[in-house]
Amino acid sequence: MSSVPDGKKLVRSPSGLRMVPENGAFISPFCLAEPQWVPDKECPRCMQCDAKFDFITRKHHCRRCGRCFCDKCCSHKVALPRMCFVDPVRQCGACGVLSQRENEFYDKQIKILTGGAAFVVTLDSSGKSENMTCRLANNHRYLFLDGESHLEVELSRISSLQVLMEESSPGGGGPRASGLLLVHRAQGSQDPMQVRLEAVEDRKEASWWLGAMHKAAKLLYEAKDQ
């Protein structure tokens, strides 16, 4: 599955232009579906400031939550990569703040994750440990673990993910990320598999990667719940 090219196409929705995978099954697990807009007839007033809509006070829909607002409460256009929009789109204040925070993940953390880091990887199915480089695939759908062997973990099939912490040496600050414990179900299997990653070489690089993965997990589980 990971070797299949991910072609994309430009589509127009009521919310704006979106660049989406041609095959819906290949969409990034971080992505959110477009919301259903609150019907115009059901929102005679702004859903934030309660201003009455009329010829002068026009209504606008937030592209992230789909609710109705006046121009004052929904005037900012913010990038929304989680819905694959090509250009920044109109969002209400609360959604805009949330999207701006997430954009830091797309601007910085994604680069760290796709760059990868070195770990000692242990699979509970074999009990053997191996030095491997772990990185996020460019399509954001898989974790690739490469060493003498190769393992692919599909993010959408991860059921739990825990960042492991360790105490720093005296004077070295607070606890830092030292490893990762994840449970997933491989394609075609219903049996859970546990993968443990432990930093060994460049611990600073590994700590950055683990911190980025922790942020990725928050987005991943949020997308699953919606």
Side-chain angles (χ1 to χ4, degrees), residues 15 17-18 77-80 84-90:
S15 299
L17 288 173
R18 302 171 67 223
K77 291 188 176 182
V78 184
L80 187 48
C84 304
F85 285 111
V86 174
D87 301 309
V89 291
R90 188 185 293 269

Side-chain angles (χ1 to χ4, degrees), residues 166-176:
E166 69 175 6
E167 294 293 334
S168 298
S169 57
R176 64 181 180 183

